[in-house]
Amino acid sequence: MVRLSGLSILWIVSAVAAQLASTGLSVTLNNVPYFISPYSAGKVSVDTRSLSKVATVFGFKPVTVVPDAKESDLPKLLTSWTSVDDVFQPAFAGAILLGSARGTSNPKKPIISGVSSVVVKLSNKKIPAGPYFLELSTGSLYPVHRLYQDFAGAFLQALLEKPDGKFETLSAQIAGSDSLTIGVPSRLYYTKTAAKPLAGVRLGVKDIYRVAGVKGSNGNRAWYNLYPAANVTGTAIQRLIDAGAVVVGLQKTSQFANGESATADWVDYHEPFNPRGDGYQDTSSSSSGAGASVASYEWLDIAIGSDTGGSVRGPAGTQGLFGNRPSHGLVSLDNVMPLSPTLDTPGFLIRDPYIWDAANAALYGKNYKSLVKAKPKYPNKILTVGFPTNTSASAAAPLFIDFANALAKFVSGSVTALNLENEWKATGPGGPALAQLLNQTYATIITKEQTELVREPFFRDYAAAHDGRTPFVNPVPKSRWAYGDNRTDADLQQEYKNKQTFMTWWNTKVLPPVTDASQCSSGLLLYPGSSGSQNPRNTYRTLPGVPLGFGTSRISVFTEVPDSVYPLGQVASLSTITNHVEYFPVAVDIMAAKGCDGLLVKLAQDLVQAGILTVPKAGGTVTGGDILMK
Ligand SMILES: *[C@@H]1O[C@H](CO)[C@@H](O)[C@H](O)[C@H]1NC(C)=O
Ligand SMILES: *[C@@H]1O[C@H](CO)[C@@H](O)[C@H](O)[C@H]1NC(C)=O
Ligand SMILES: *[C@@H]1O[C@H](CO)[C@@H](O)[C@H](O)[C@H]1NC(C)=O
Ligand SMILES: *[C@@H]1O[C@H](CO)[C@@H](O)[C@H](O)[C@H]1NC(C)=O
């Protein structure tokens, strides 16, 4: 007689119950790389014998689902899909599962060019239209993602949303690619509604926003390895998901969202590649992956970055995109790594100003007043700071000057050059010049806040896990944090006061709001963003320093007003990399009074309509074209 102990029974049971799980499957269809999601969209019953002529791989067949159309409408419908969706292609039409079909038929005339289709009845009309892979053995339909190469090195992880709303790393790799692979689902699965204005909008997320199920890095390897996957998605990203956005990956940030340059810094992870011009210009930081990706990839609609001292505006300008630093405090930044809660803002980098408004509305909720359906009364006071005074001052000067004049004409107003220090002397509360008053304000606030909120717990946790060791930190955050250690709490309190003094003056004397909601702001203030100058990434720089000093780009940081980037075009110059003439983006920044974020987006739309601005394209220039080294 054989007696089994409890232990050996357990062993037998666990051996039988080995867990085998699919993480999805990578395939190619007519040489286009696709990913078959491991999460079924639903089941159908199909007589698989009728599909015998349709190609099969691992028991999956490409099919097209059409719940609600007449068979006679299919040619037009499917042809339109090839232009609105980059995932669908005619090869999916070899088998069409049609809600209105009576039985199985083999139309003699091709429904779509060059493909002979079999049309079968769709037994489950709840499945959204679009391309799928049908698993023959189960009748399950699996959603299709098209796979793209992240040749700009903009992403750190490709993501796939699971049915429970958490995320996992997308398990796919395009054969013969030296870069990460990103997957985007068919746009046909999503329908825009009032509740889901961002349905199907593909979103890249800066790797400081925590996403449930996924480990984050903040641009630091030690951090990535130390902490477990996030268990919740923060408010900001969740709002975008709830509005229908599809998160396709986490994107690179300079470390701990501090500003870094390529050759000197970016030790832990490599800086992404700016696709414009010679392909070797610095992307600017810290939302570097956001800017590089939206400028490189037509398949990506929008990226969310963050701006504390210019981290959205820099990458947007240097890559010729729209971008916004919003009014401060519009949405909770829970589950986001802080640089400085006093100054941090979440903003977008984007090509299309219409998606921009919908994304702002979703992200900022009731704190955002969209003016898209209104007829705004634009302020007629146009102020410029640091603008060139004549068109021969630089290659970009005519673009800035022409834009200011065109804007003034558009709003029936006039342009006034503002000298900040003179204005401060004339109408300010007295005391030192701005350059002195605000010299250490930014550096003190960000370093004191980040050392307390990020470095201290991180170093403590790392030491506890690694026998008292200190984690590696890139030179820039390290030197900034050291500066913070030299500043006292009294210094910090003084800098908060300096910020407040400046903010009060600005928001009452220079750019106050007005009560008429259709105007919102008393004026619009312009300053040069990107001037199309070259800043190649292969430059050896001096030792990392501290962001001291005051400049125009700090105004919105301290005054909490919205500050948006508008691409104006590009200038031609001889690249030091290619020894060939290349095109480098030029962009202007426009500020309005606090809370007038909606006005700035509507202005972008109206200026596009009026032909004063052009929607930028993804590619080697802001008007499109090949990217070197893609
Ligand atoms: C998520 O993780 C945090 C930190 O580890 C923990 O404090 C919190 O209770 C967790 N929340 C949930 C919903 O599991
Ligand atoms: C135009 O600006 C440049 C640079 O600021 C200056 O050198 C030049 O004298 C100016 N020309 C005129 C006509 O004002
Ligand atoms: C700003 O602060 C630095 C460091 O204390 C100092 O060296 C510099 O002179 C200051 N600049 C101004 C304009 O006050
Ligand atoms: C901090 O202060 C010490 C002593 O004054 C000085 O030697 C050091 O250079 C300072 N470090 C930084 C990062 O400012």
Side-chain angles (χ1 to χ4, degrees), residues 479 482-483 486:
S479 67
Y483 164 85
N486 270 5

Side-chain angles (χ1 to χ4, degrees), residues 35-58:
F35 176 72
I36 307 176
S37 168
Y39 303 112
S40 164
K43 276 193 182 190
V44 290
S45 55
V46 181
D47 177 1
T48 53
R49 283 167 307 180
S50 61
L51 307 182
S52 59
K53 289 200 181 127
V54 180
T56 312
V57 65
F58 288 128

Side-chain angles (χ1 to χ4, degrees), residues 369 377 512-522 593-594 596:
K369 312 258 178 313
K377 210 171 98 199
V514 298
T515 46
D516 179 352
S518 68
Q519 182 182 338
C520 197
S521 181
S522 57
K594 189 171 178 186
C596 301

